[in-house]
Amino acid sequence: MWRVLARRPVLVSVVGAGTAVATYKYVESQRPLEAHGDALEPLVRASRVYAESARDAILAGAGKTAASSQLQASPTSALLPSRTEMLNMLKGKTRDGKTVLPADDTVYDLVIVGGGATGVGCALDAQTRGLKTALVERDDFASGTSSRSTKLVHGGVRYLEKAFMELDYEQYKLVREALHERGVFLKIAPYLSYQLPIMLPVTQWWKIPYYWAGAKAYDVFAGSEGLSHSYFLTKSRALEAFPMLQKDKVKGAIIYYDGAHNDSRMNVAIALTAAAHGAAIANHVEVVGLLKRARLINKDRFDLGDEELYGVVVRDTLTGDTWNIRAKGVINATGPFTDGIRKLDGGAQAQEIVAPSAGVHIILPNYFSPRNMGLLDPNTSDGRVIFFLPWQGSVIVGTTDTPTQVTHNPIPNDDDINWLLKEVSNYLAPEIKVRRGDVLAAWSGIRPLVRDPAAKNTAALVRNHMINVSPSGLLTIAGGKWTTFRSMAQETIDKAIEVFDLKPTGPCITEHLPLIGSAGWSKTMFIKLIQHFGLETEVAQHLSDSYGDRAWAVAALAAQTGTRWPIFGVRVAPGYPYIEAEVRYACQREYACTAVDVVARRLRLSFLNAQATLAALPRIVEIMAQELGWDRKRKQKEIEETTQFLMSMGLTIKDKTMFPANGAKPVIATLSQDQARFFARTHFLPTELAFYREVFNKLDYDRDGTISKKDFGLALDKIGHSISPEDLASVMDEVDLNHSGSIEYEEFLEVLAAVKDIRSRSKFARIVAKYEERQQFPTDRSGGGV
């Protein structure tokens, strides 16, 4: 029957719409009550989370600012332990490291390996149930897949379609769970997550009722936890809302709502919340071995073997120190690196369960999309789905889905980048050209699709997540997605309590537990930040939306700008709202240990603009050196390692003299703010611009600020960029000159940028020019991209 319906899309649309309406009452009748809600409120209010941000502000020097009044509404609380204090706790000592605790007092209920979304979610869940919890992460919190997501908090529109078309109840359950967790997600961290309208452009009339039915069913299944309701837009209204779309193709549009968030900052907030409740957490601590002994508990249960784990051997990757952490249970939550920990347990013969898939994303300038509306393309040329989403003042395009190998910092594939650009161009108006040079950053995230080793068909991939317990008791949680991190953690800790015979003091409360920074936050808090600290509006909004009520503490660290306005808040990079105070706060209060920790997971600058990160890097390293006591050798190491990391963010640096061996600043860092803005757009150094201006002026015979197109060919010869007439015609078309018969200087520079792009795509000889003993900044991109 369903095969017949699939051939009749109009009939499917009608059936879908009817099903959406008919299901509503059943869904509402099955919705569980929010258990423990009233009982949890006193516990949540008593949490140290609510005091941390305000007291931070006072101790950081906010004095009698607005932060003082915030403290009155929060219970007194100790500050979070420093990383050094956390390491002392993990080593079985007191926080100050002066006293070694009795052996029985140093055994944790659980040690969690992995500081991504699932790992920190497990730490928070376990600790708030009264379990003594430790967490270690080899790199930084969210250093892997958890910082490289599409930034959506969603139920899965595509999964819902499959549930109906294939009568798949399991797909339906996945959507229902994800929609419930989406609602929880937006409540526990309101400053980091928000609802986002997403447009489904309709290019065929019969698809309008089909998409409308699907969107309404999405609303119905979300129920009372849903966001704003979906609606239909006519062609004219759709083009008004998203003016970049092709006018000829669009027949109308469906707008539905999903959630979005700042993924790595969310990850850090969860980790800090776990620490605020007493968990011992440490980044840059790697598990290098597992401790085993003869089994003492749960003999002959859960198919467990004769040996059991009783802890892990860890190494501080920054200092090289090694020690043991004893625990009753070990949880493996390492995402794509799951098999590595499993092989520490079961040896080289341990079955590999991860099937890694690469998802490439690119960042485009914000003028390619409305500021507050995304776009979903459900029908790309090869059947994949891509999103086109505003995020942090730029536009994310993604994602791909291709098999890959597990690597620490995967590099985006050029073929995937070009495929994304091609698919985007199919929706945008012809006059809007999306060039390779418009890509400001690009990254690849490894999605850990998994096979269940306990399933009959071990080659089949599980659809959601998988929990597996090895014979020695290593509990592995793998798969899933960001949206369902909390429910995955709850299920994992439930299993751990059973397998490791743990004694929690209370139930799971994470469904109602606000994350750190949420208590005193409001949507208008940024106004008070402006009034009290003299911050720019954009900066104040950014601090409010990134730190919640902890923004007071960050602003208290802000340095004076030396100008009338803004008074405080020196920016790290022109055009972006990040300020130097955030670097200091990341070192002092958020466990940032390396420059990559800051630019990638605290500020997010490397995910938005790789070149801007490169320019800001020397100053960021200098600030971190002041906070962490780095010497000259360490600063140079940080610059080199962060530059290498930026390669995985889409940066190409062929000229290593950009970072002199003596630690001097890169050439771009010596520019003024105005020069840096212009350089970010054109990729020309001041020496180049001076030379181009000289050539242009010599050909501007009548001094009217223009040259003829004929003279433009001569200019290219003088500059050394001679190209064929066909390529020149392509360049002219790409920059869309006004066909006036003459070229202005700005157009001249635009054409030169496009020429560089054409030459790089055609694999012409590497362009090298030497002016005044300085090599040209090497690039094969244009338009400020990478």
Side-chain angles (χ1 to χ4, degrees):
M1 178 186 73
W2 284 95
R3 291 183 179 178
V4 175
L5 289 176
R7 301 190 193 104
R8 299 179 180 178
V10 176
L11 182 58
V12 171
S13 301
V14 176
V15 172
T19 303
V21 176
T23 309
Y24 181 78
K25 285 203 174 280
Y26 172 77
V27 171
E28 287 302 301
S29 66
Q30 296 299 311
R31 183 170 305 285
L33 296 175
E34 292 188 347
H36 311 294
D38 295 335
L40 294 176
E41 187 66 15
L43 176 60
V44 172
R45 289 295 176 186
S47 166
R48 291 189 293 180
V49 175
Y50 280 79
E52 195 268 352
S53 61
R55 181 162 178 178
D56 258 8
I58 300 298
L59 297 183
K64 296 181 179 180
T65 64
S68 304
S69 62
Q70 292 286 325
L71 184 61
Q72 298 173 6
S74 304
T76 304
S77 161
L79 294 176
L80 298 183
S82 67
R83 182 174 183 273
T84 299
E85 291 172 330
M86 286 291 192
L87 293 179
N88 287 334
M89 294 161 61
L90 290 172
K91 291 177 181 178
K93 303 177 181 179
T94 54
R95 280 175 57 164
D96 59 13
K98 295 180 180 179
T99 305
V100 177
L101 298 174
D104 290 343
D105 294 340
T106 64
V107 178
Y108 288 89
D109 289 314
L110 290 172
V111 59
I112 298 164
V113 185
T118 305
V120 296
C122 287
L124 178 59
D125 190 304
Q127 188 66 38
T128 52
R129 295 198 204 193
L131 300 175
K132 187 177 180 180
T133 306
L135 178 145
V136 293
E137 160 60 44
R138 178 179 64 180
D139 194 336
D140 184 30
F141 306 117
S143 60
T145 307
S146 295
S147 63
R148 298 167 181 257
S149 71
T150 310
K151 324 303 180 191
L152 283 177
V153 185
H154 63 119
V157 175
R158 194 64 181 266
Y159 301 142
L160 181 61
E161 180 184 31
K162 289 183 178 180
F164 277 110
M165 298 303 294
E166 301 174 11
L167 287 182
D168 191 331
Y169 182 67
E170 290 300 318
Q171 292 277 8
Y172 163 76
K173 287 201 303 182
L174 291 180
V175 175
R176 290 280 290 117
E177 178 192 22
L179 286 173
H180 171 72
E181 290 302 318
R182 183 188 69 177
V184 173
F185 206 112
L186 271 63
K187 291 175 184 176
I188 63 175
Y191 65 97
L192 284 170
S193 55
Y194 51 93
Q195 68 172 358
L196 177 70
I198 300 177
M199 176 180 289
L200 271 166
V202 182
T203 56
Q204 294 173 291
W205 287 110
W206 69 265
K207 288 185 177 180
I208 292 177
Y210 179 69
Y211 285 160
W212 181 88
K216 287 303 177 184
Y218 202 57
D219 294 341
V220 167
F221 292 142
S224 60
E225 295 169 327
L227 309 179
S228 299
H229 293 298
S230 58
Y231 56 92
F232 170 72
L233 288 180
T234 61
K235 176 177 180 177
S236 60
R237 294 291 300 276
L239 293 173
E240 181 181 347
F242 211 117
M244 302 81 175
L245 294 177
Q246 285 193 37
K247 297 178 176 62
D248 296 337
K249 286 188 175 182
V250 176
K251 308 299 182 186
I254 302 295
I255 306 296
Y256 77 97
Y257 286 80
D258 249 329
H261 72 139
N262 188 337
D263 51 6
S264 73
R265 289 221 54 87
M266 180 72 74
N267 201 133
V268 170
I270 300 168
L272 295 179
T273 307
H277 283 277
I281 64 173
N283 54 352
H284 300 283
V285 174
E286 178 182 13
V287 171
V288 295
L290 300 175
L291 301 174
K292 293 185 179 182
R293 66 187 177 194
R295 178 161 297 284
L296 300 177
I297 62 171
N298 279 335
K299 295 181 179 180
D300 302 322
R301 295 187 64 194
F302 308 112
D303 295 323
L304 296 174
D306 296 331
E307 290 185 319
E308 69 178 6
L309 298 179
Y310 70 97
V312 294
V313 183
V314 298
R315 179 176 66 89
D316 187 333
T317 61
L318 300 178
T319 65
D321 291 347
T322 60
W323 69 95
N324 297 342
I325 301 175
R326 295 194 302 158
K328 298 175 184 177
V330 179
I331 294 178
N332 174 17
T334 52
F337 304 97
T338 293
D339 289 330
I341 300 298
R342 282 172 53 82
K343 288 182 179 180
L344 285 179
D345 175 42
Q349 69 272 17
Q351 179 186 350
E352 294 188 354
I353 64 173
V354 174
S357 174
V360 172
H361 297 78
I362 61 175
I363 288 285
L364 297 175
N366 59 10
Y367 47 75
F368 284 107
S369 170
R371 292 182 60 87
N372 297 308
M373 181 174 289
L375 182 143
L376 166 64
D377 179 3
N379 296 303
T380 60
S381 58
D382 64 358
R384 287 183 284 187
V385 172
I386 64 170
F387 288 92
F388 195 68
L389 307 170
W391 184 73
Q392 298 290 303
S394 297
V395 177
I396 287 182
V397 180
T399 177
T400 61
D401 186 7
T402 53
T404 188
Q405 298 295 318
V406 175
T407 56
H408 187 54
N409 286 316
I411 296 177
N413 184 294
D414 259 354
D415 291 339
D416 287 335
I417 293 174
N418 291 329
W419 179 81
L420 289 171
L421 291 174
K422 175 179 173 292
E423 294 301 326
V424 167
S425 298
N426 291 337
Y427 270 93
L428 298 182
E431 63 270 18
I432 300 177
K433 303 291 184 179
V434 186
R435 303 175 304 169
R436 179 62 175 82
D438 291 316
V439 178
L440 301 177
W443 71 87
S444 176
I446 300 178
R447 183 185 178 195
L449 304 175
V450 292
R451 307 177 184 91
D452 187 350
K456 292 182 179 179
N457 181 7
T458 57
L461 298 177
V462 299
R463 295 182 177 183
N464 192 8
H465 61 271
M466 178 275 302
I467 296 176
N468 174 260
V469 181
S470 74
S472 67
L474 176 65
L475 196 159
T476 296
I477 169 67
K481 59 182 181 179
W482 241 116
T483 306
T484 57
F485 87 92
R486 192 209 62 82
S487 61
M488 290 167 56
Q490 180 178 349
E491 186 178 341
T492 302
I493 301 305
D494 287 344
K495 187 69 173 179
I497 291 171
E498 181 182 18
V499 173
F500 304 134
D501 195 24
L502 304 177
K503 308 299 180 184
T505 59
C508 174
I509 65 171
T510 54
E511 186 172 346
H512 310 282
L513 182 67
L515 298 186
I516 192 169
S518 300
W521 177 83
S522 70
K523 292 183 179 180
T524 59
M525 193 187 80
F526 75 94
I527 298 175
K528 292 184 178 180
L529 291 174
I530 297 172
Q531 294 171 336
H532 283 276
F533 293 102
L535 301 171
E536 291 178 90
T537 300
E538 183 184 17
V539 171
Q541 288 178 323
H542 156 69
L543 294 181
S544 173
D545 294 343
S546 297
Y547 299 89
D549 59 19
R550 294 185 298 139
W552 292 105
V554 181
L557 296 173
Q560 289 185 329
T561 63
T563 61
R564 284 180 174 270
W565 187 265
I567 301 173
F568 289 94
V570 178
R571 295 201 186 207
V572 167
Y576 293 91
Y578 307 112
I579 60 175
E580 293 182 355
E582 293 180 79
V583 181
R584 298 189 186 280
Y585 188 80
C587 296
Q588 295 176 12
R589 306 301 306 143
E590 294 187 330
Y591 305 117
C593 301
T594 69
V596 174
D597 293 352
V598 170
V599 301
R601 271 86 64 176
R602 305 307 188 277
L603 301 192
R604 310 317 308 274
L605 185 59
S606 67
F607 280 82
L608 296 175
N609 192 321
Q611 290 285 5
T613 307
L614 183 66
L617 185 56
R619 178 57 183 160
I620 290 173
V621 170
E622 187 62 37
I623 295 171
M624 295 188 72
Q626 296 170 11
E627 294 293 331
L628 301 176
W630 292 346
D631 58 17
R632 182 175 177 179
K633 183 178 179 180
R634 175 64 186 274
K635 289 192 291 184
Q636 181 62 21
K637 177 185 177 184
E638 289 295 325
I639 286 180
E640 292 172 354
E641 291 183 351
T642 307
T643 303
Q644 188 63 36
F645 167 79
L646 290 176
M647 304 294 185
S648 69
M649 293 286 105
L651 182 69
T652 300
I653 301 181
K654 298 177 181 176
D655 188 355
K656 296 302 181 182
T657 61
M658 285 297 295
F659 289 90
N662 61 4
K665 292 182 178 180
V667 174
I668 188 174
T670 65
L671 308 183
S672 68
Q673 285 196 358
D674 288 339
Q675 288 173 325
R677 287 192 186 97
F678 197 68
F679 174 80
R681 184 170 61 82
T682 63
H683 270 202
F684 297 133
L685 287 174
T687 50
E688 293 181 89
L689 292 174
F691 179 69
Y692 296 157
R693 171 59 79 176
E694 180 183 356
V695 171
F696 184 88
N697 287 344
K698 286 182 179 179
L699 294 172
D700 182 12
Y701 302 113
D702 52 6
R703 298 294 183 267
D704 64 349
T706 64
I707 63 175
S708 68
K709 292 182 180 179
K710 179 180 179 181
D711 289 335
F712 177 68
L714 296 175
L716 288 179
D717 288 338
K718 289 180 178 293
I719 293 172
H721 286 350
S722 299
I723 60 176
S724 67
E726 293 80 11
D727 285 339
L728 181 58
S730 297
V731 168
M732 297 292 190
D733 178 65
E734 182 161 354
V735 298
D736 194 26
L737 299 177
N738 58 19
H739 304 291
S740 63
S742 61
I743 298 175
E744 298 177 357
Y745 181 63
E746 287 288 329
E747 295 174 328
F748 178 67
L749 292 179
E750 185 73 10
V751 172
L752 288 180
V755 167
K756 297 171 91 173
D757 196 38
I758 289 287
R759 287 170 64 89
S760 67
R761 290 201 301 264
S762 304
K763 297 183 180 179
F764 282 5
R766 182 169 178 254
I767 302 172
V768 178
K770 295 183 180 179
Y771 309 117
E772 302 175 355
E773 298 182 354
R774 175 184 288 177
Q775 288 187 331
Q776 174 190 350
F777 182 77
T779 179
D780 52 8
R781 306 290 185 246
S782 63
V786 295

